[in-house]
Amino acid sequence: MEKKAIVVGAGLVGSLWSIFLAQRGYKVDIYERRSDMRKEGFVGGRSINLAMSTRGWKALEKAGIAEEIKADAIAMDGRMMHAVNGETTFQPYGKEGQAIYSVSRGGLNLALINIADKHPLVNFHFDHKVSKVDKKSGSLQVTSEGITSTADASLIFGTDGAFSSVRASLQRTPRFDYQQDYLDHGYKELEIPAGPNGSFLIEKNALHIWPRGHFMLIALPNSSGSFTCTLFLPFEGPQSFEQLKTNDAIQTFFETYFADALALIPDLVKDFHENPTSTLVTIRCNPWVYKDKICLLGDSSHAIVPFYGQGMNSGFEDCTVLDEMLSEFDEDWTKTLSAFNETRIPDANAIADLALRNFIEMRDLVGDEDFLLRKKIAAWLHDKYPDRFIPLYSQVTFTHIPYSKALAEGRRQDQLFEKILAIENIHQDWKTEKVIQVFEAWEKEN
Ligand SMILES: Cc1cc2nc3c(=O)[nH]c(=O)nc-3n(C[C@H](O)[C@H](O)[C@H](O)COP(=O)(O)OP(=O)(O)OC[C@H]3O[C@@H](n4cnc5c(N)ncnc54)[C@H](O)[C@@H]3O)c2cc1C
């Protein structure tokens, strides 16, 4: 029987997954509602750059495209914190040589489409919007240029993002769980342009953060020398988007809270008015699969807030995990999809929780003394006992430890640091035998 699949959505995850399927000998038809970005340019509507880490790289290596993407990526070795008075402090993300990488969303999507399209088994259908899936018959309703037709396949993958139409069709199944939570915060992108000759006006190899309590600004470098800044701010309240309607209000807000950044954003007021204010949502659902026929991957089954930089990374890890399971179960789709559903949903829920928790860490704690000390002690313990203690951030970002395991371990680490930070004079002297004793006692308890 001919091996045939349909992929709905040629975004990051769908394009990558179509490469994995083609490598396994599947003929893939991929339907994308947008026009071909190779002709029309990239119409993103979302972040211009993304942080790629270990889980994402592994999937790209499998697709044979990691080196090409890394050539244009910018290593971010740590966080550069900007205080209100303009003082900066740098916190490494991991050990020397460990970094997350800023990559262009459009560039990455384009590269994935190009690689997939070179494969004779992959066939792209741009400007084709899928409106409905009949899960029993495995047929899709597809509209292009006003004409609606049907397409059939025994295997259908929904990679059509947070507002997935494939998921919407599955939602009609009895006992389908679905949860959607919006944050009270929205986000807006702004730009620090490149300096003379494409130079970087602030430290190139860092993710910059201006933490200000319940709001923050961040900036990631682009290979052109510019930085994409994202302002995360409540929609309503004393410091909020609803307060920033006039040129004066925008200017004063930035003068008050982000003066050093303001000096580098020449088009602040214009960009503020022109760029959209977007929402931030967490989406969870269960199941992600229907029998041996339909499977959701990426944001369509688990959209998360962007504060751990793991949305795309977790979607790419979906592809790696599903591919590994296909090998394990000899391409028996019933067994594979059932195992994928069972193991992957707890991991997706864990990274959703971790991402929400990291929002508080980024906006509140990165300037907090106890938090900074905890980071230093964690790095010290990790150096001393690399196999016995891996900080939570490193587990999520630099390993393949399942997210659910990392979250559980992170909760145990919270208990450890509660005890360590209660040690007398810990802020004066922390590389001590007492800290080691507390660590070893904690290790025995766990
Ligand atoms: C501000 C922000 C910053 C982020 N930063 C990071 C980061 O640093 N690191 C990270 O790992 N992740 C990050 N993410 C998350 C990341 O963007 C997503 O997890 C990722 O884009 C998900 O990829 P996807 O392919 O599942 O969905 P999408 O990228 O949304 O792609 C879905 C595709 O399906 C198409 N489509 C939709 N509906 C239909 C339809 N009915 N018919 C046909 N086609 C359809 C769409 O046009 C699109 O091409 C960030 C997200 C945001 C909002």
Side-chain angles (χ1 to χ4, degrees), residues 8-14 31-34 46-47 49-52 105 109 128-131 159-165 187 189 220 230 232 280 297-300 304 306 309-314:
V8 182
L12 298 173
V13 175
Y31 291 93
E32 167 57 49
R33 77 172 168 201
R34 289 189 202 144
R46 290 212 281 175
S47 63
N49 49 26
L50 298 151
M52 174 89 72
R105 180 190 286 273
N109 210 155
H128 280 67
K129 184 177 175 191
V130 171
S131 50
T159 53
D160 47 347
F163 302 100
S164 164
S165 61
Y187 74 92
E189 290 190 337
L220 273 72
T230 312
F232 295 97
L280 293 161
L297 298 170
D299 275 17
S300 67
I304 61 177
Q310 286 293 315
M312 162 194 65
N313 282 288
S314 62

Side-chain angles (χ1 to χ4, degrees), residues 156-159 166 170 288-290 293-297 300 322 333 337 340:
I156 296 166
F157 295 93
T159 53
V166 182
L170 288 183
W288 294 2
V289 303
Y290 179 75
K293 276 200 178 110
I294 302 178
C295 180
L296 304 172
L297 298 170
S300 67
L322 186 54
W333 283 97
L337 293 189
F340 180 70

